[in-house]
Amino acid sequence: MRKLLGILVFIAGVAGLCWYGAKHDAKRIEQAVTDGASGAVAGSVHGVTTAVSGRDIEVGGLADSNGERYRLLETLGIVKGRRVVRDKMTVLESASPYTFSAEKSGNVITVSGHVPTEAAREGIAVVLDHDASALKLASGAPGAWTIVAQDGLSALSKLTKGTLTMSDKTLRLSGLAASPADGEAALAELKDVPPGYMIDSSFDYLDDGKPVNFQLAYSASDGASVNGKLPKGLTPEALADALGLAVSGDPTTGISGEPGPVLAALKKLTLWLPEFETLTFKTAGGDKGFDLTGTGSPGVDLELLKQGLSTDLGGDVAVSVAAADDLPPEGTQRVNAATGETEVLTAGYWLPQLDFVAGYGQCRDKANALLSKRDVNFVTGSARLDARSMGVINAMTSVVMKCVQSGDLRVEVGGHTDSQGDSAFNKTLSQKRADAVVAALRARGVPEDAISATGYGDTQPIADNDTEEGRAANRRVTLAFSQ
């Protein structure tokens, strides 16, 4: 009995050892199959997965192509210890041609077309700075597609707006660049595109990349025009507003530069335009330095004109003024672009054409109306007509000539001062100033015996000499008519 019991215990022990050994070996084999299966699919394009039960392998997920599917199954088939391989894979749709496109408008780039992997989609999203969910996952992309697509998007981002298209290994980039430098920057993003890809690019430019360089030309007979390249934000309309007259021309406008200095100079120049026959205002290397050259209208004091312009326009404008030497024939008529007045060339001067009845009362009223709006001014302390008196002298000539010739009147030019300083000096100064006006009127054709000059000094004030405004009103020239 004892012997039988020992035999039974022995048999049970052997059976237990066999069961333990079999179970332990099965786990080892399953783990080996699992490791082998994982290794077999590790290089799959879309991350194919495997699950192992015992020695059976189930493979699922997305195969990039039938070719990859077959290669994976073949590799799984040689996994040591496996029994069966169950194929649960889905094959990704293939695209041919393989297309991708992107469009930039404003600061946003939108994409459409295909993407080869989710990793590529994530990389494109990083470049876009927003998701790329619009792209359809598809196989068939040429080699290095993801790198080329990302480089293409980086190139597109350098443009103001544009389009990127990829079809297999052909990449086309077109659109609007701010300047040639920006177009070159876009192409630089594509310099490392692998061999075999063909790149086609076409750009238009907001700016030619050259410095600001424009010329504004003015003629009293023809008006103003502009050509060349204006600073950013400057247009012919803005120039016209600054000058106070129409400006023709078809200049380009740059994407850099400051319009402020140009407009500031032209607004000051407006007051001087009536003194010019022709004028050219142009850049002198940039948008802050300018050259101004012109020909003064007949009768203008060129020295004072240049001094006044230089003072008003400041050191950023180099001024050069000469006398007009190509006047048209006597009697030529024009409309002055700066003043809007119809003028006739008379005795070498442009005199405004006036239409009124030349009676005593009419002549008196016409002269008073003229001088209430336009003063005859002189250099301080002297009888030299200032730089902007030419226009009013010409207008006075037209009034006086009509009144003398048609109305058979005589005229006295009166000179008046304020009460500042010595009365005797003031009387002498006023006489000299009246004489200067008479000389200017005679030079323009007023008969010598029809006009005279009288200096009244400070004896006939029309305003309070205790205020600056009053003193300014008292410093004047008058016209008095008589039969």
Side-chain angles (χ1 to χ4, degrees):
M1 189 68 175
R2 181 178 294 177
K3 186 175 180 179
L4 179 59
L5 182 59
I7 292 171
L8 291 173
V9 170
F10 174 77
I11 292 173
V14 171
L17 287 173
C18 289
W19 175 83
Y20 175 80
K23 184 175 182 180
H24 181 74
D25 192 53
K27 288 183 177 181
R28 181 183 59 78
I29 293 172
E30 184 179 58
Q31 185 60 52
V33 172
T34 298
D35 293 342
S38 296
V41 301
S44 63
V45 174
H46 303 287
V48 166
T49 60
T50 56
V52 175
S53 177
R55 291 186 295 156
D56 296 343
I57 303 172
E58 182 175 285
V59 56
L62 192 62
D64 192 58
S65 64
N66 279 318
E68 184 186 55
R69 178 186 183 186
Y70 296 146
R71 287 193 299 273
L72 291 174
L73 291 175
E74 184 179 12
T75 304
L76 288 168
I78 61 175
V79 171
K80 188 175 181 179
R82 65 92 187 162
R83 184 169 57 188
V84 296
V85 177
R86 288 189 288 274
D87 177 14
K88 299 292 185 179
M89 290 183 288
T90 300
V91 177
L92 181 62
E93 180 184 348
S94 179
S96 181
Y98 204 85
T99 60
F100 171 79
S101 64
E103 184 172 354
K104 181 180 181 184
S105 179
N107 294 320
V108 178
I109 297 177
T110 56
V111 293
S112 60
H114 303 106
V115 65
T117 65
E118 291 301 330
R121 189 195 304 276
E122 291 175 5
I124 289 172
V126 170
V127 178
L128 297 176
D129 198 27
H130 62 78
D131 71 79
S133 58
L135 298 176
K136 181 180 179 181
L137 197 64
S139 64
W145 183 93
T146 300
I147 294 174
V148 175
Q150 289 177 334
D151 288 348
L153 288 173
S154 296
L156 179 62
S157 70
K158 303 294 184 183
L159 304 181
T160 301
K161 62 179 180 180
T163 301
L164 167 73
T165 61
M166 291 177 61
S167 180
D168 293 331
K169 287 191 172 185
T170 299
L171 182 149
R172 292 184 175 87
L173 179 65
S174 62
L176 182 66
S179 67
D182 288 320
E184 292 173 5
L187 293 178
E189 297 291 336
L190 301 174
K191 63 182 178 62
D192 294 327
V193 167
Y197 278 88
M198 184 179 74
I199 298 174
D200 181 20
S201 63
S202 175
F203 304 141
D204 292 321
Y205 301 103
L206 287 172
D207 188 280
D208 60 10
K210 297 179 181 178
V212 169
N213 184 20
F214 71 91
Q215 176 174 294
L216 176 73
Y218 167 80
S219 162
S221 299
D222 302 322
S225 63
V226 64
N227 60 60
K229 181 178 179 180
L230 298 172
K232 179 181 179 181
L234 195 57
T235 63
E237 292 75 19
L239 295 175
D241 288 342
L243 281 175
L245 72 161
V247 177
S248 62
D250 189 24
T252 61
T253 300
I255 60 172
S256 62
E258 293 293 333
V262 179
L263 295 176
L266 294 184
K267 287 177 180 178
K268 294 177 180 178
L269 183 59
T270 299
L271 298 175
W272 295 95
L273 285 182
E275 320 305 322
F276 283 93
E277 284 298 293
T278 62
L279 182 148
T280 300
F281 179 85
K282 63 181 181 180
T283 51
D287 57 357
K288 294 184 179 179
F290 310 100
D291 288 332
L292 187 152
T293 58
T295 58
S297 288
V300 72
D301 188 319
L302 297 177
E303 181 183 8
L304 294 181
L305 179 59
K306 179 178 179 180
Q307 290 176 3
L309 270 172
S310 299
T311 300
D312 271 9
L313 298 179
D316 289 336
V317 183
V319 177
S320 176
V321 179
D325 57 3
D326 55 351
L327 295 176
E330 186 82 358
T332 299
Q333 183 173 300
R334 75 179 184 190
V335 176
N336 189 296
T339 65
E341 295 178 331
T342 299
E343 301 173 333
V344 178
L345 190 66
T346 306
Y349 299 89
W350 288 106
L351 305 184
Q353 193 172 43
L354 303 178
D355 185 17
F356 67 97
V357 177
Y360 170 78
Q362 292 88 344
C363 288
R364 177 198 61 205
D365 294 343
K366 197 73 174 177
N368 290 340
L370 169 64
L371 294 174
S372 68
K373 295 178 180 178
R374 302 166 70 177
D375 292 331
V376 179
N377 293 314
F378 301 87
V379 176
T380 301
S382 82
R384 186 178 184 181
L385 290 164
D386 82 353
R388 285 208 288 259
S389 287
M390 181 271 297
V392 67
I393 292 293
N394 287 346
M396 289 172 65
T397 302
S398 293
V399 172
V400 170
M401 287 283 284
K402 191 172 185 67
C403 293
V404 168
Q405 293 176 344
S406 300
D408 197 24
L409 299 175
R410 291 179 54 80
V411 63
E412 176 197 82
V413 176
H416 303 267
T417 69
D418 59 32
S419 62
Q420 297 287 96
D422 180 72
S423 292
F425 175 83
N426 288 340
K427 183 171 178 57
T428 299
L429 178 61
S430 67
Q431 182 64 52
K432 291 180 178 179
R433 287 179 170 178
D435 289 338
V437 172
V438 167
L441 296 181
R442 286 174 175 166
R444 287 160 173 79
V446 176
E448 184 173 347
D449 59 356
I451 188 169
S452 61
T454 302
Y456 292 95
D458 55 17
T459 63
Q460 295 184 359
I462 59 173
D464 188 350
N465 274 306
D466 291 334
T467 67
E468 178 54 42
E469 292 79 8
R471 291 190 292 272
N474 290 331
R475 297 189 296 268
R476 69 196 190 280
V477 169
T478 58
L479 293 176
F481 292 93
S482 62
Q483 297 289 344

